[in-house]
Amino acid sequence: MTNNRLEAFSDGVLAIIITIMVLELKVPHGTDVHALVPLVPVLVSYLLSFLYVGIYWSNHHHLFHSARRVSGGILWANLHLLFWLSLFPLATAWAGENHGAALPTAMYGVVLLLAAAAYYILQCAILAHEGPDSLLAKALGRDWKGKLSPLFYLTAIPMAFVNPWISDGLYAAVALLWLVPDRRIERVLERE
Amino acid sequence: MTNNRLEAFSDGVLAIIITIMVLELKVPHGTDVHALVPLVPVLVSYLLSFLYVGIYWSNHHHLFHSARRVSGGILWANLHLLFWLSLFPLATAWAGENHGAALPTAMYGVVLLLAAAAYYILQCAILAHEGPDSLLAKALGRDWKGKLSPLFYLTAIPMAFVNPWISDGLYAAVALLWLVPDRRIERVLERE
Amino acid sequence: MTNNRLEAFSDGVLAIIITIMVLELKVPHGTDVHALVPLVPVLVSYLLSFLYVGIYWSNHHHLFHSARRVSGGILWANLHLLFWLSLFPLATAWAGENHGAALPTAMYGVVLLLAAAAYYILQCAILAHEGPDSLLAKALGRDWKGKLSPLFYLTAIPMAFVNPWISDGLYAAVALLWLVPDRRIERVLERE
Amino acid sequence: MTNNRLEAFSDGVLAIIITIMVLELKVPHGTDVHALVPLVPVLVSYLLSFLYVGIYWSNHHHLFHSARRVSGGILWANLHLLFWLSLFPLATAWAGENHGAALPTAMYGVVLLLAAAAYYILQCAILAHEGPDSLLAKALGRDWKGKLSPLFYLTAIPMAFVNPWISDGLYAAVALLWLVPDRRIERVLERE
């Protein structure tokens, strides 16, 4: 099985996830500046989630670029990742409409953590299929970003019950960490 | 006519179906744990339907992988399948919001049954086009999963009026049955 | 400019149009059979519009299959068609929720008529680009379906103010007329 | 990295943006002509935004057609553009539901301006990657449309607080300016 259709389907799902989050941005009631105020935290949440889905799309792109063929296991590991990513719009809307509230901020981190775990499982499934001497294995190297991100989420989730703004800062920090696209794979590919 | 654009269009529709089900997950009112309680059955329904759409996508992928060219009849059999799959979000939301209610549980099974029938018709249309000695005919073999699933649905639908939880168990059982992707086609393809 | 990306974009828009119509199907209030009754006319409208979008996708597929290269004019004629098709969900929901009402039934016909006109313009733009001796020109032949459909719509629109059921019958008749996919192009392509 | 998947993802996002704007078109209450009256300004706004997304898609198409390979920077410049375009449905709905109101009209222009800025950044990133002697650099030439459009927006935004209809006229004027697809690139490509 080639990975063309899997990439096309994933692209479709990610494109829809990134776009339907906009549907949670309710049209303001009223036409003055005050009507825009409640929109600000929702927009900030939307921006953060947009970055996260963009990062996942970019890394997904790099991951499958180095994996030429997919197995049934990889197919389901990919659907598992898409499932957790599909909960982003809900988690984003709940956290955005209740900015500064403990539980919505913590749950946002739980969804981020489970999506990160699903991505890790997908990466392992592809690595197992490609072998330890594969291009991908070399390109990933020690994968310090992938190992650091869950630690940030695991800190941010309980911290939401102390001070949600610290959690928000940690979520933003992970996004910035990844914003630099995964040059490792690009570099190894160029060297070959 | 090649099947590229048919696959692309089907991928698009399936990607949208699997994702817009999330729009039925209403943002919780309130920010405490109690606000999350009504979300649990809706999430479970969403997970089950996500699995089903994933299974259909995976099997659809395998089916068209072995069918190189499509006729007008196959095109419409495919649209017929997409029509029933497009009712998944509605059936999922109704069953999820009324967990344990007889009629919504039964109707969920009716939509599953009609989608399964549409898939069977599509499979027959492709088989008729490819011929009895085709790769696909060999790969499908006796198709026991395809024959067993409708029996489960036909049992689950009336059972919903006795005990909806039994129906839910039967729907979950069929999903687990199919979760293992269709190795038959993969195996035959590898042998050739 | 090749037509790959134009087809991909059109496929995306058509896939979304055909699927978001489902979002207008409101989850029934209540869990008994009476709760399903108001859904019936909405479902019938949805089915008719699903057929129409399916027909447009199928014909669009055939049209661009014979047009290898696209000009700026074709690109905009295509967007013009997509604009009218994008109003299908709104027209369908209004007609479906007010089954038997004159104006919604007439407006549904107006949207069908304008989409048909846009398709005709697109077809002319492609024909002008391909030339009178092209495969497409031969394949279309006298295009009696394309010429008959607007007459049906033009009859159905005023008829909605006399008896909306006659209009509904005419809309369904046109869908059945087109349901047989455009064999003309297929036949000419096979002959070559 | 090839640009195939970036184009496919962008096509998906643009197709969804252009289509979910329809979801803001609320089904009219009532079945007489008066029920259609409040829909008119919303439809006009929708048409204008449809044109703008169509123009962006068309220009995006031309831009990436001449850029064969993409870097990480181009990937993020593209996501940045998609972010601002994803706010079109919200800005369109707010302006459409409050036709003639100052702030919604001005904010529509702000979103247009930021999308134009993002497109300009994307174009610069691709130009820097392709080099000053590239086909794209020649094709763009002096890029007078790209330089004129922001001036129109910058005039229209404050003008909304004087007379919103002048702003609407300026927004429409820019759309008409671009409606003629970017022949420059086509011409240079044909010459080569």
Side-chain angles (χ1 to χ4, degrees):
Chain A
M1 199 200 302
T2 57
N3 62 8
N4 287 343
R5 235 190 119 179
L6 191 143
E7 285 190 325
F9 182 72
S10 305
D11 276 354
V13 172
L14 289 171
I16 298 159
I17 290 171
I18 215 170
T19 324
I20 62 170
M21 288 193 293
V22 192
L23 293 176
E24 306 287 359
L25 301 172
K26 299 286 176 297
V27 178
H29 295 289
T31 59
D32 55 1
V33 176
H34 300 288
L36 284 177
V37 173
L39 207 66
V40 174
V42 184
L43 263 175
V44 172
S45 298
Y46 172 55
L47 174 61
L48 187 62
S49 294
F50 192 97
L51 282 179
Y52 266 110
V53 180
I55 289 162
Y56 272 105
W57 174 74
S58 164
N59 289 340
H60 192 271
H61 182 96
H62 283 93
L63 195 59
F64 276 92
H65 193 252
S66 28
R68 241 148 286 255
R69 296 183 71 76
V70 294
S71 65
I74 291 170
L75 189 150
W76 281 101
N78 187 55
L79 276 167
H80 177 230
L81 171 64
L82 294 179
F83 176 77
W84 291 113
L85 292 178
S86 80
L87 294 182
F88 272 36
L90 182 71
T92 304
W94 202 34
E97 289 174 19
N98 302 284
H99 221 60
L103 193 63
T105 306
M107 287 307 293
Y108 188 80
V110 170
V111 172
L112 285 181
L113 182 65
L114 290 167
Y119 187 83
Y120 184 75
I121 293 169
L122 174 63
Q123 193 173 282
C124 290
I126 294 178
L127 273 176
H129 203 244
E130 298 278 310
D133 301 322
S134 65
L135 205 60
L136 181 64
K138 281 180 216 153
L140 282 170
R142 282 188 297 177
D143 191 23
W144 63 273
K145 278 187 192 178
K147 278 169 187 145
L148 204 61
S149 305
L151 295 181
F152 271 72
Y153 301 143
L154 283 169
T155 312
I157 293 165
M159 200 52 88
F161 297 94
V162 182
N163 187 335
W165 301 102
I166 297 176
S167 308
D168 288 337
L170 289 168
Y171 301 148
V174 177
L176 290 177
L177 192 74
W178 282 100
L179 213 62
V180 186
D182 215 320
R183 289 284 166 85
R184 292 167 301 176
I185 297 176
E186 265 181 73
R187 248 177 251 143
V188 174
L189 281 172
E190 271 160 27
R191 239 181 287 150
E192 305 283 306
Chain B
M1 202 199 302
T2 57
N3 61 8
N4 288 343
R5 235 190 120 178
L6 191 143
E7 284 190 326
F9 182 72
S10 306
D11 276 354
V13 172
L14 289 171
I16 298 158
I17 290 171
I18 215 169
T19 324
I20 62 169
M21 288 193 292
V22 193
L23 293 176
E24 306 286 359
L25 301 173
K26 299 284 175 298
V27 179
H29 295 289
T31 61
D32 55 1
V33 176
H34 300 289
L36 284 177
V37 173
L39 207 65
V40 174
V42 184
L43 264 175
V44 172
S45 298
Y46 172 56
L47 175 60
L48 187 62
S49 294
F50 191 97
L51 281 178
Y52 266 111
V53 179
I55 289 162
Y56 272 105
W57 174 73
S58 163
N59 288 340
H60 192 273
H61 182 95
H62 283 93
L63 195 58
F64 277 92
H65 194 252
S66 28
R68 241 147 285 255
R69 295 184 71 76
V70 295
S71 65
I74 291 170
L75 189 151
W76 281 101
N78 187 56
L79 276 167
H80 178 231
L81 171 64
L82 294 179
F83 176 77
W84 291 113
L85 293 177
S86 81
L87 294 182
F88 272 36
L90 181 71
T92 305
W94 201 36
E97 290 174 18
N98 302 285
H99 221 59
L103 192 63
T105 307
M107 286 307 293
Y108 188 80
V110 169
V111 172
L112 286 181
L113 182 65
L114 291 167
Y119 187 84
Y120 184 75
I121 293 168
L122 174 62
Q123 192 173 282
C124 290
I126 294 177
L127 273 177
H129 203 244
E130 298 279 309
D133 300 323
S134 65
L135 205 59
L136 182 65
K138 282 179 215 154
L140 282 170
R142 282 189 297 177
D143 191 23
W144 64 272
K145 278 186 192 179
K147 278 169 188 146
L148 205 60
S149 305
L151 295 180
F152 272 72
Y153 302 142
L154 283 169
T155 313
I157 293 165
M159 200 53 87
F161 297 94
V162 182
N163 188 335
W165 300 102
I166 297 175
S167 307
D168 288 337
L170 289 168
Y171 301 148
V174 177
L176 291 176
L177 192 74
W178 282 99
L179 214 62
V180 186
D182 215 319
R183 288 285 165 85
R184 292 168 298 177
I185 297 176
E186 267 181 71
R187 248 178 252 144
V188 173
L189 280 172
E190 270 159 28
R191 239 181 286 150
E192 305 283 306
Chain C
M1 199 199 302
T2 56
N3 63 7
N4 287 343
R5 236 191 119 178
L6 191 144
E7 285 189 325
F9 182 72
S10 305
D11 276 352
V13 172
L14 289 171
I16 298 159
I17 290 171
I18 214 171
T19 324
I20 61 171
M21 287 192 293
V22 192
L23 293 176
E24 307 286 358
L25 302 172
K26 298 285 176 298
V27 178
H29 296 288
T31 60
D32 56 1
V33 176
H34 300 289
L36 285 177
V37 173
L39 208 66
V40 173
V42 184
L43 263 175
V44 172
S45 297
Y46 172 57
L47 175 61
L48 186 61
S49 294
F50 191 98
L51 282 178
Y52 267 111
V53 179
I55 289 162
Y56 272 105
W57 174 74
S58 164
N59 288 341
H60 192 272
H61 181 96
H62 283 92
L63 195 59
F64 276 92
H65 194 253
S66 28
R68 242 147 285 255
R69 298 183 70 75
V70 293
S71 65
I74 291 170
L75 190 150
W76 282 101
N78 187 55
L79 277 167
H80 178 231
L81 171 64
L82 294 179
F83 177 76
W84 291 113
L85 292 177
S86 81
L87 295 183
F88 272 36
L90 181 72
T92 305
W94 201 36
E97 290 174 19
N98 302 285
H99 221 60
L103 192 62
T105 306
M107 286 307 293
Y108 188 81
V110 169
V111 172
L112 285 180
L113 181 65
L114 290 166
Y119 187 84
Y120 184 75
I121 293 168
L122 173 63
Q123 192 174 282
C124 289
I126 295 178
L127 273 177
H129 203 244
E130 298 279 310
D133 301 323
S134 66
L135 205 58
L136 181 65
K138 282 179 216 153
L140 282 170
R142 282 188 298 177
D143 191 22
W144 64 273
K145 279 186 191 179
K147 278 169 188 146
L148 204 60
S149 305
L151 294 181
F152 272 71
Y153 301 143
L154 283 170
T155 313
I157 294 165
M159 200 53 87
F161 298 94
V162 182
N163 188 335
W165 301 102
I166 297 175
S167 308
D168 288 336
L170 288 168
Y171 301 148
V174 177
L176 291 177
L177 192 75
W178 282 99
L179 213 62
V180 185
D182 215 319
R183 289 283 166 85
R184 292 168 299 177
I185 297 176
E186 265 181 73
R187 247 177 253 145
V188 174
L189 280 172
E190 270 159 28
R191 240 182 286 150
E192 305 284 306
Chain D
M1 201 200 301
T2 55
N3 62 8
N4 287 343
R5 235 190 120 178
L6 191 144
E7 285 190 324
F9 182 72
S10 305
D11 276 353
V13 172
L14 289 171
I16 299 159
I17 290 171
I18 215 169
T19 324
I20 61 170
M21 288 193 292
V22 191
L23 293 176
E24 307 286 359
L25 302 172
K26 299 284 176 296
V27 178
H29 296 288
T31 60
D32 55 1
V33 176
H34 300 288
L36 284 178
V37 173
L39 208 66
V40 174
V42 184
L43 264 175
V44 172
S45 297
Y46 172 57
L47 175 60
L48 187 61
S49 294
F50 192 98
L51 281 178
Y52 266 110
V53 180
I55 289 162
Y56 271 105
W57 174 74
S58 164
N59 288 340
H60 191 271
H61 182 96
H62 283 92
L63 195 59
F64 276 93
H65 194 251
S66 28
R68 241 147 286 256
R69 297 184 69 75
V70 294
S71 65
I74 291 170
L75 189 150
W76 282 101
N78 187 55
L79 276 168
H80 178 231
L81 171 64
L82 293 180
F83 176 77
W84 291 113
L85 292 178
S86 80
L87 295 182
F88 272 36
L90 182 71
T92 305
W94 201 35
E97 290 174 18
N98 302 285
H99 221 60
L103 192 63
T105 306
M107 286 306 294
Y108 188 80
V110 169
V111 172
L112 285 181
L113 181 65
L114 290 166
Y119 188 84
Y120 184 75
I121 293 169
L122 174 63
Q123 192 174 282
C124 290
I126 295 178
L127 273 177
H129 202 243
E130 298 278 310
D133 301 323
S134 65
L135 205 58
L136 182 65
K138 282 180 217 153
L140 282 170
R142 282 189 297 177
D143 191 22
W144 64 273
K145 276 186 192 179
K147 278 170 187 144
L148 204 61
S149 305
L151 295 181
F152 272 71
Y153 301 143
L154 283 169
T155 313
I157 294 165
M159 200 53 89
F161 298 94
V162 182
N163 188 334
W165 301 102
I166 296 174
S167 307
D168 288 337
L170 288 168
Y171 301 149
V174 177
L176 291 177
L177 192 75
W178 281 100
L179 213 63
V180 185
D182 215 319
R183 289 285 165 86
R184 291 168 301 176
I185 298 177
E186 266 181 72
R187 247 178 252 143
V188 174
L189 280 172
E190 271 159 28
R191 239 182 286 149
E192 304 283 307

